[in-house]
Amino acid sequence: MIKVLKFGGTSVGSAANMKKVAEVVRHEGARITVLSAMSGTTDALVKIVAAAAAGDRDTVESQLAMLTDKYTTCIDGVLGAHREEALGRMKAAFELIRSEVGAFREYTSERTIIAQGELLTSAIFTLYLNETGMKAVCLNSPDFMVTDEDGKVDTCRLREALAPVAADQDTFYVAQGFICTNNRGEIDNLGRGGSDYSAALMGAAIDANEVQIWTDIDGMHNNDPRVVDKTSPVHQLHFEEAAELAYFGAKILHPTCIQPAKYAGVPVRLLNTMAPEAEGTIISNKTEQGKIKAVAAKDNITAIKIKSSRMLLATGFLRKVFEIFESYQTPIDMVCTSEVGVSMSIDTVTHLDEIVDELKKYGTVTVDRNMCIVCVVGDLDWSNVGFETLTMEAMKNIPVRMISYGGSNYNISFLIKEADKQRALQSLSDTLFNK
């Protein structure tokens, strides 16, 4: 069985955790292990980038001193025979950072500096696997994760490059998540959720039987455990259900990261490094019919309503409205329409004033801030009579600004005030899951 395993920064954030990860890799027989940087590394490197841009060399050195202590402690905790090799690799990485700071170029230096976390973490982990008797090879992800001018990974090149890996059953391969090479040949990264995205792409490229995402949470929960009492992991999700939950607030996944696995038909399993015996969540193209699975919430939403008698029986009105949002590259989350009005929600207010000014050409505009989208996800096909009524019952005491239902077979969403979020999420849990 061919598996790709991805571990987040917390999972490899200490010597003790690295040892746990190595045991998981051995037990699962991982063909490729994709690693994030050790927890805290990327934040420190971002601070170094900001300090370099400001000419603040003291902050650069203080952050490098902190990272030196962090990585030296880890190396001392996991390596014996390969200790000096790892320390040399660490010193080389930090000297490269110093050289980039000395000749700082806004884009390329930033990307080069930030990439060192993944590169150093994967190098140390590979040395540790070899010390434990496992035949391990560290791949250099920027050699085969190459993006075009639109930032999309060249999947044909990726598949060709990883063909020998797919065929090699005797080696544990380690690769970096997140980092890549752009179309100009520069070191770059895949942005937020990039490590999960890397793992999904690699899994699809080698025709893996499963991609596993290991974090410090035992799968995707049926509600937000930080806000709601008595949540529990969801054992099975359809890819569309997982994408809806990720987009509307479930932090364990980025909404786009599992798309390559979805299209390739490769199941994705979410597991907990700290509790490897936990069942976790399996995401696939299978639907569990007749079940509501989970609830998620997305904060910092702004609602915009435009009301105009010119909309009545008019053609082209909605096109003109949507073109305004498109011109300012502002995506819309929810849409509701009536004969003379349309309401929309957005999650970025960068160009809100300009958008409102242009919308006023077509009607009266009102804006509601500090809103929240609560999303109920499951098998919500319209033929499942009663599911929408059940969710409405849970929301009966919550003022609702907008409702979206029918755009997806997996989602019904409510726009409410952020102040009502906790009450709404708890009521939904009590009604849908805890009875």
Side-chain angles (χ1 to χ4, degrees):
M1 187 172 184
I2 300 176
K3 297 180 182 179
V4 173
L5 275 60
K6 178 265 174 180
F7 294 89
T10 303
S11 296
V12 290
S14 67
N17 285 358
M18 273 198 184
K19 291 177 179 179
K20 291 179 183 177
V21 168
E23 284 305 309
V24 171
V25 168
R26 184 197 299 271
H27 179 265
E28 295 291 332
R31 187 65 53 85
I32 303 177
T33 300
V34 181
L35 298 183
S36 298
M38 285 180 67
S39 56
T41 304
T42 302
D43 287 343
L45 295 176
V46 169
K47 289 179 182 177
I48 288 173
V49 169
D56 181 1
R57 195 72 188 225
D58 289 342
T59 297
V60 170
E61 290 301 328
S62 68
Q63 291 297 311
L64 284 174
M66 182 274 291
L67 289 174
T68 298
D69 289 342
K70 181 183 184 70
Y71 277 87
T72 300
T73 299
C74 177
I75 289 168
D76 288 344
V78 296
L79 295 176
H82 292 89
R83 178 179 179 275
E84 292 303 318
E85 183 180 349
L87 289 173
R89 178 68 182 78
M90 178 190 73
K91 291 173 183 175
F94 294 163
E95 283 306 311
L96 175 60
I97 290 172
R98 287 189 176 95
S99 69
E100 289 293 336
V101 169
F104 190 73
R105 297 158 293 166
E106 194 76 38
Y107 187 89
T108 54
S109 291
E110 175 190 344
R111 298 303 199 269
T112 301
I113 289 169
I114 290 175
Q116 299 312 305
E118 278 76 15
L119 291 166
L120 183 53
T121 301
S122 58
I124 294 169
F125 184 73
T126 305
L127 290 172
Y128 176 65
L129 292 184
N130 281 310
E131 276 206 7
T132 62
M134 299 164 68
K135 180 185 175 184
V137 172
C138 189
L139 302 171
N140 186 51
S141 292
D143 289 343
F144 49 83
M145 299 291 286
V146 180
T147 61
D148 61 19
E149 58 186 10
D150 296 321
K152 295 180 179 179
V153 173
D154 184 341
T155 54
C156 293
R157 178 171 179 168
L158 176 61
R159 178 175 284 273
E160 182 179 343
L162 293 184
V165 173
D168 186 356
Q169 301 180 32
D170 300 321
T171 306
F172 293 90
Y173 289 91
V174 180
Q176 307 82 34
F178 183 60
I179 62 175
C180 64
T181 299
N182 63 29
N183 66 308
R184 298 182 297 277
E186 302 163 334
I187 193 82
D188 211 327
N189 61 64
L190 298 171
R192 184 177 165 227
S195 290
D196 292 350
Y197 187 47
S198 298
L201 283 165
M202 292 182 206
I206 67 171
D207 296 321
N209 300 99
E210 188 171 279
V211 171
Q212 297 180 357
I213 308 293
W214 289 79
T215 66
D216 55 357
I217 303 171
D218 54 344
M220 191 173 283
H221 278 234
N222 60 9
N223 211 324
D224 189 342
R226 299 166 301 178
V227 178
V228 173
D229 296 328
K230 297 180 181 178
T231 70
S232 58
V234 180
H235 298 308
Q236 191 275 337
L237 288 169
H238 187 279
F239 277 116
E240 295 291 344
E241 293 171 335
E244 295 276 11
L245 289 170
Y247 183 78
F248 286 105
K251 303 298 184 184
I252 193 171
L253 276 178
H254 189 267
T256 60
C257 73
I258 56 175
Q259 293 302 319
K262 171 190 172 183
Y263 296 134
V266 178
V268 175
R269 194 180 295 273
L270 309 180
L271 294 160
N272 187 350
T273 311
M274 311 308 161
E277 70 284 352
E279 183 177 350
T281 301
I282 184 74
I283 305 169
S284 69
N285 282 315
K286 296 179 181 178
T287 299
E288 261 190 311
Q289 295 184 338
K291 289 189 70 174
I292 294 178
K293 296 295 188 64
V295 178
K298 187 177 183 181
D299 295 327
N300 302 313
I301 301 296
T302 299
I304 303 170
K305 181 178 181 179
I306 175 170
K307 186 177 180 180
S308 174
S309 58
R310 283 182 285 172
M311 186 177 171
L312 184 63
L313 301 178
T315 58
F317 183 88
L318 288 177
R319 174 180 56 80
K320 293 174 184 176
V321 168
F322 292 143
E323 282 177 348
I324 293 171
F325 289 89
E326 182 183 2
S327 68
Y328 289 103
Q329 296 185 317
T330 300
I332 296 171
D333 288 315
M334 293 175 64
V335 180
C336 291
T337 63
S338 70
E339 289 85 351
V340 293
V342 55
S343 290
M344 296 147 290
S345 71
I346 58 175
D347 64 2
T348 176
V349 294
T350 305
H351 299 289
L352 179 61
D353 292 341
E354 297 98 312
I355 289 171
V356 170
D357 286 342
E358 293 209 35
L359 289 174
K360 285 179 179 177
K361 298 174 185 176
Y362 301 103
T364 303
V365 179
T366 56
V367 176
D368 294 313
R369 297 174 182 264
N370 301 317
M371 306 297 284
C372 167
I373 295 176
V374 172
C375 171
V376 179
V377 167
D379 179 21
L380 288 163
D381 186 272
W382 67 276
S383 62
N384 290 329
V385 177
F387 276 11
E388 68 277 10
T389 305
L390 194 61
T391 59
M392 297 289 187
E393 174 67 19
M395 297 291 289
K396 66 182 180 181
N397 295 318
I398 309 294
V400 176
R401 170 71 172 76
M402 290 168 60
I403 299 174
S404 177
Y405 176 58
S408 162
N409 288 336
Y410 301 99
N411 169 12
I412 179 169
S413 297
F414 302 88
L415 183 67
I416 64 174
K417 294 178 181 178
E418 281 186 6
D420 294 323
K421 180 178 82 167
Q422 192 278 335
R423 198 156 53 97
L425 292 181
Q426 189 65 61
S427 180
L428 284 164
S429 263
D430 292 341
T431 303
L432 301 177
F433 309 127
N434 297 335
K435 281 191 174 180

